Amino acid sequence: MRGVISFILCISLTLAFFVGCDRSYDEAEVKAAAEQLLEKSLLVNEIFYGEGLEYDENSIVSSGSYSPATASALSELGISSTDGLRNLAKEVYTDGLCDIIFRTKLSSLKDGDGGDIVSLTRYFDKNVKGTNYLMVYTLDEANYDNEIEYLYETLTVTGADGEYIMIEVDVLLTSGIGLTRSDRVEFILLEENDGFRLDTLSFVKF
């Protein structure tokens, strides 16, 4: 009988891990959600922290260091404005993390209240004769310039604290000149009202 109980307990712990006394998560469900979020984050990270949207510097609405995103780039994403960018980010990251992304990438940062601008917004909407253009800051420097591949077969759930879940996964990084290295990184997931979201920026520098 003791052997049967131990076997059942082992199976239970394999299917789910428990947090406190009243919350449990299905490990397979968490892994599947994490994989989907990490895969979606590749595009979101590229938009906000990587090379950014393709732009047309020869457009008649280009002004100073800003040019409109190309029609093909917007069509591929199915968006037409910064609201579309916000929605893409909200599919991946928590509300709290999105607030930080939007403050730093969709609005200019000032040095204190009413102070000098210290960082120009990366994207903003510009209306010209009733047509909206999603403007791109052409001098923005990428936070990373390497390719990232998440090795999902190595993804493991390492712990949980209330609604927060910790995962680890191996990543393969490829530099711009073809050098590669691997690393193991930790990310945090948060369960929000409409599902899991990443509560950690998921890009990894070479």
Side-chain angles (χ1 to χ4, degrees):
M1 176 65 70
R2 181 177 300 175
V4 173
I5 293 175
S6 297
F7 176 76
I8 294 175
L9 178 61
C10 180
I11 293 296
S12 298
L13 291 175
T14 300
L15 293 177
F17 61 96
F18 294 87
V19 183
C21 300
D22 59 354
R23 178 175 289 278
S24 64
Y25 297 99
D26 183 88
E27 188 169 358
E29 179 185 355
V30 170
K31 285 184 175 181
E35 181 174 337
Q36 292 177 0
L37 290 170
L38 288 172
E39 194 65 20
K40 285 184 177 180
S41 76
L42 291 171
L43 174 61
V44 174
N45 292 341
E46 184 65 20
I47 292 172
F48 289 103
Y49 295 100
E51 290 299 316
L53 293 178
E54 180 184 49
Y55 54 84
D56 179 10
E57 60 186 353
N58 296 316
S59 171
I60 59 173
V61 300
S62 294
S63 177
S65 300
Y66 285 94
S67 291
T70 63
S72 59
L74 297 178
S75 176
E76 185 176 344
L77 295 173
I79 66 171
S80 59
S81 67
T82 54
D83 283 343
L85 294 180
R86 288 184 174 88
N87 291 335
L88 289 175
K90 288 179 179 179
E91 291 179 2
V92 173
Y93 290 117
T94 60
D95 290 339
L97 199 49
C98 280
D99 286 342
I100 296 174
I101 295 172
F102 300 158
R103 285 202 307 269
T104 56
K105 298 299 181 180
L106 297 181
S107 63
S108 296
L109 295 179
K110 293 184 177 181
D111 185 12
D113 293 335
D116 295 334
I117 294 177
V118 295
S119 178
L120 292 173
T121 182
R122 186 162 196 181
Y123 302 105
F124 74 93
D125 293 315
K126 181 178 182 178
N127 187 285
V128 179
K129 296 181 179 180
T131 299
N132 184 76
Y133 295 89
L134 203 169
M135 304 300 289
V136 183
Y137 183 46
T138 61
L139 301 181
D140 198 276
E141 295 184 0
N143 292 78
Y144 68 99
D145 60 359
N146 51 272
E147 294 183 7
I148 304 169
E149 180 183 357
Y150 304 108
L151 305 180
Y152 297 118
E153 65 275 11
T154 70
L155 193 154
T156 59
V157 179
T158 59
D161 183 6
E163 297 175 341
Y164 292 90
I165 303 172
M166 282 65 74
I167 63 169
E168 287 187 358
V169 65
D170 289 347
V171 296
L172 180 64
L173 308 176
T174 304
S175 72
I177 60 174
L179 299 177
T180 61
R181 76 173 181 88
S182 59
D183 199 359
R184 187 162 183 83
V185 294
E186 181 182 75
F187 301 114
I188 298 175
L189 270 65
L190 173 63
E191 185 180 22
E192 297 191 328
N193 293 332
D194 57 347
F196 293 104
R197 296 293 188 276
L198 285 169
D199 199 41
T200 314
L201 290 175
S202 61
F203 66 83
V204 184
K205 293 184 180 180
F206 187 84

